[in-house]
Structures are given as C-alpha cells and as structure tokens.
Amino acid sequence: MATAILKQVFEIELTRTRDPEILEKQDLIYDIGNGEFDHHQLEKEYRDNGTPYAACGLIWRKFGKQAILSKHPEVSENEVEIIFRYVDTVLVEGIDAADNGIRTTENIIPTMCISSIIGGYNLHGIPRVSGCSI
C-alpha cells in the first residue's frame, strides 16, 4: 500500500533490496533501513490512540495529502484534511495494526477488507441475507 501511495505522488521505480550499497543510492527507503519510514525499530511511532505506525501509515502521514491532491486538485484544503483523516482511520490504520502484529479483531481498529469495500457500494435499505446483498 505504501508503494501505491507513493505512485500517486511520484514517478517511481521500485527496488526491493537489503543491500546497503544499493540502498545508499535510493532517494526514498521504506519498511527497512532504520530510516524515517521504517517501523521495525525499538522506538516505534504511535498514533494518538496507541496504534503503532507501519511503513504504510508513515508514508501516508507524509505524502497522503499530496496523493489526494494529485487525483483531485479541485478539493479545498479542508476537504483534503477530511479525506486524509478518513482514509487513515478506515484503511491505513488497520493496515498498520496488522503489519505490527495487532489482531484487529480483538481491538476496535477498523480493518478494510474486500467485503467491506463491496458493502460500501450497496444501497441502504436493500435486504441482506447472511451478510450478502441481494
């Protein structure tokens, strides 16, 4: 997901490696390397509600608003903030929690899945049987 966010903002070429010589030549490193976007450290960063950031959330926190504006330059600053916080709450935080080993079913952390995405497109008032729309 971090890569998808970055692709909305930058024209990127993804390199997967742990080779220090290759890493030194990269413009941005995430999820490894003890850098700004690596959550595999003893000193993790946490949201105000206690959920730890993972690479996805760290990337979203820094570049999410730019990603929103890249797709919708017409939205106001206030609308960008609302969208940014909503996406963080309903999508990114769940990804971060799972990536940090938090069982989201045992906590009150929204976790986006394909069923909830599809369910979001269902009209209200349509009968549902066993969690499926008909």
Side-chain angles (χ1 to χ4, degrees):
M1 183 67 174
T3 303
I5 294 165
L6 291 169
K7 283 185 173 190
Q8 294 304 307
V9 180
F10 306 106
E11 190 171 313
I12 67 169
E13 180 180 322
L14 180 64
T15 303
R16 291 184 55 127
T17 186
R18 292 187 187 271
D19 183 330
E21 290 181 18
I22 295 173
L23 289 173
E24 283 180 18
K25 298 174 186 173
Q26 304 306 308
D27 296 320
L28 191 143
I29 301 167
Y30 59 97
D31 212 20
I32 60 168
N34 294 320
E36 179 181 3
F37 307 108
D38 182 15
H39 68 107
H40 301 284
Q41 302 176 43
L42 294 176
E43 297 293 324
K44 288 184 184 263
E45 291 189 58
Y46 292 83
R47 288 175 171 77
D48 291 338
N49 67 3
T51 304
Y53 282 97
C56 179
L58 294 168
I59 292 289
W60 180 252
R61 183 176 67 181
K62 177 126 184 188
F63 301 108
K65 292 176 184 177
Q66 287 175 262
I68 295 164
L69 286 169
S70 74
K71 288 296 189 186
H72 299 283
E74 74 283 357
V75 298
S76 72
E77 189 175 318
N78 187 50
E79 290 169 321
V80 169
E81 186 65 33
I82 291 167
I83 295 165
F84 173 83
R85 290 187 188 281
Y86 181 79
V87 170
D88 188 66
T89 300
V90 300
L91 178 61
V92 177
E93 183 177 0
I95 292 169
D96 284 357
D99 196 4
N100 278 292
I102 296 172
R103 296 183 63 167
T104 57
T105 56
E106 296 173 5
N107 298 295
I108 303 174
I109 299 172
T111 304
M112 185 69 66
C113 64
I114 192 66
S115 297
S116 62
I117 293 169
I118 292 169
Y121 286 99
N122 291 329
L123 298 174
H124 297 290
I126 295 177
R128 297 172 191 257
V129 177
S130 300
C132 298
S133 296
I134 56 172

